[in-house]
Amino acid sequence: MNQKPHWIQGLDGPARRIAETQDSPLCVLAGPGTGKTFSMMRRVARLLEEGIFPGQILVCTFTRTAATDLKKSLRELQVQGASEVNATTIHAFCFGFLSSARVMEITQRVPRPLLSYEIRFMLEDIRDNEYGAVRACEARLRAFDAAWARLQSEEPGWPLDPIDKQFHATLMSWLRFHKAMLIGELVPQALQFLRNNPESDIKTIFNFILVDEYQDLNRADQVLIDILAEGKSLTVIGDENQSIYSFRFAHPDGVTQFEATHPGTHEEDLTDCYRCPKSVVDLANALIVHNNERVDRSIKPRPENLTGDVQIVQWPSVYDEAKGIAQLIKNEIVRGVVEPGKVLVLAPRRLLGALVREALHRLDIPAHSFFHQEELDGKPSELDESQAQQAFTLLTLLANREDCVALRCWCGFGSASLNHTGWNSIRNHCEQTGEQPYQVLESLTKDRIKLPYTTSIIQRFRLLQQALQRQANLTGTRLVDAIFPDMAEWAVSLRSMCRAIGGDKFDAKILYEHLRTNITQPELPTDVDYVRIMSLHKSKGLSADMVAVVGCVEGLVPHIEDNLPSAQELRQLEEQRRLFYVAITRTRNILIISSFTQIQRREAFKIRAKVTRGVKTHASTIMSRFITDLGSTCPRANRGAQLLKIKGEGKTK
């Protein structure tokens, strides 16, 4: 009796049809926990066992975490050649082939991405009377990002208005001088190259292209995939109900309209949920049906799924919430119901996550926060608010002292104007003489030259020279401790990222590359022995035995910007509902949805929460409207103390 091929073992229904589909485009609509990765891997296995060369297969996704999971799944296929399949993110793929084709070198661009706080320095430098103040420049920059992402023109920048044309030229001039790029430029640059160079080898390498999380891609990403897949086999997998990246201009219509835009498409639905308990499936379906802009498609629990334990709870304050959630987590760990590494805490703001992390540490429960990017946010003009930014800038300069962007930032910290007048004076000198900024700064400190408005910049540069000299030979733990002090609250998340490097021999260059990659393209660990605390957005693609969603109060969940037109407000509300849908469907067993009734006004302002007006130090909040959307099977909310008593603890410690 012949043994079934590896790719067909354990397959039935949609999963088998997905693996077997031959030449036609394939679109798979897959709800949360429905086994889309399993189905995709079986399709890859079929291709390999039919003799397809691994280098002809490209598997793309949106995040580094998803790409890492794909690589792990490929290794586990136990099919010859699986580990050689190209599995990557869209951005990494574009960077790779642009570099290999020497596009960056030929166009004299440097693929050095700007972080969010660095963009603020750029805008301060390029603003003028025609473009408006920094806020107006930010709006212009967002418009360029939107145009590139939505593919509103063949050319990145698309300027038609004379002022927009001039702004675009000024923007590109700043980026070229500082040897940097905006992250939003990368895909349009790749797309432009492919359109203008039809003989490029990159278009002939891949004959089988599979794209996961298709709803997360923007229009430019999707057109790039179409060009690569011309005359090839294309498979896309997505779910418009999990589209949560409008801030990156995601194009969820791409998956819902795929059949119409790609003639001959074979479409499959994956609706059987393997992950979520039955109670959570009911809540998720009841929630998402309130969105109008969606396809009517529900997920279904399998008979063997757990019933699940869902708790809705409210606490007197944010501090009570943090202590109470930590105690509930410890209770379940002590009872042996969950392990720390199988617990997710999802928070709409870093502050709320930090409070839970501290409460868990007090209970001797290991926990790490993954609000990495937020550590480098803030106002760079305020010295006390920019310690993480200054530390990372120093690390950048330890790795490469002539990094022009980092030099620009270092020279501007502590100044309300970010010393933009003095820096522009240095830049003008560089452009006239051909010297590099670091050389000019050295000449200024030694009084070889004099430039206007540079007194405070010279002082900052001398501080930099001293810091570089002190830390030049440090490596490993000593380097991390010197730049990101152990007892500094602002350094906690950055130090957590450093631990993943391993060993103690790494230098500043290795540390910088590791942190930069994790900040710009965060990868969340899956096999851990500690509680993971992160934003709702970052939980995408993860799962856990116990999930606690904290801070579920109006103004945070959902968070709707003020003074929006009604149509835009509705779109934002529906995306926030999809985000909540993603959050609650991460669990395999226990789900806790938590809120609080009071918060200090200064803290509410800090996390941009919407609260009632008044003169008192504390403001009142109410639980999120999404709780009502969870439907008739949603359990009644408990007071925090009552839930702790039900769970057998009584009071928080």
Side-chain angles (χ1 to χ4, degrees), residues 60-113:
C60 279
T61 191
F62 178 60
T63 65
R64 284 183 68 227
T65 300
T68 299
D69 287 345
L70 288 174
K71 291 176 183 177
K72 180 181 177 182
S73 298
L74 286 167
R75 288 194 299 269
E76 293 172 350
L77 277 180
Q78 297 181 347
V79 177
Q80 186 175 0
S83 61
E84 301 169 40
V85 170
N86 295 276
T88 184
T89 64
I90 297 286
H91 281 84
F93 171 76
C94 290
F95 173 75
F97 90 73
L98 285 174
S99 298
S100 64
R102 300 178 64 192
V103 175
M104 297 299 182
E105 181 182 346
I106 293 169
T107 58
Q108 297 182 322
R109 297 300 304 277
V110 178
R112 192 282 197 195

Side-chain angles (χ1 to χ4, degrees), residues 547-601:
V547 173
V549 189
V550 303
C552 294
V553 299
E554 276 295 310
L556 294 182
V557 180
H559 177 73
I560 309 295
E561 295 175 25
D562 294 325
N563 303 318
L564 292 178
S566 57
Q568 191 173 344
E569 181 177 328
L570 177 60
R571 285 194 296 271
Q572 199 167 97
L573 174 63
E574 294 207 341
E575 177 167 273
Q576 288 281 296
R577 189 177 283 113
R578 292 194 296 270
L579 179 60
F580 192 56
Y581 174 82
V582 166
I584 67 175
T585 54
R586 299 307 93 196
T587 187
R588 291 188 290 262
N589 186 10
I590 302 170
L591 174 64
I592 298 175
I593 299 174
S594 174
S595 68
F596 50 83
T597 59
Q598 280 198 333
I599 183 172
Q600 293 183 18
R601 290 192 180 277

Side-chain angles (χ1 to χ4, degrees), residues 30-36 242 272-276 299 302 585-586:
T34 56
K36 62 182 177 64
Q242 296 184 76
D272 288 346
C273 183
Y274 293 79
R275 177 200 303 147
C276 300
I299 55 175
R302 291 169 63 85
T585 54
R586 299 307 93 196

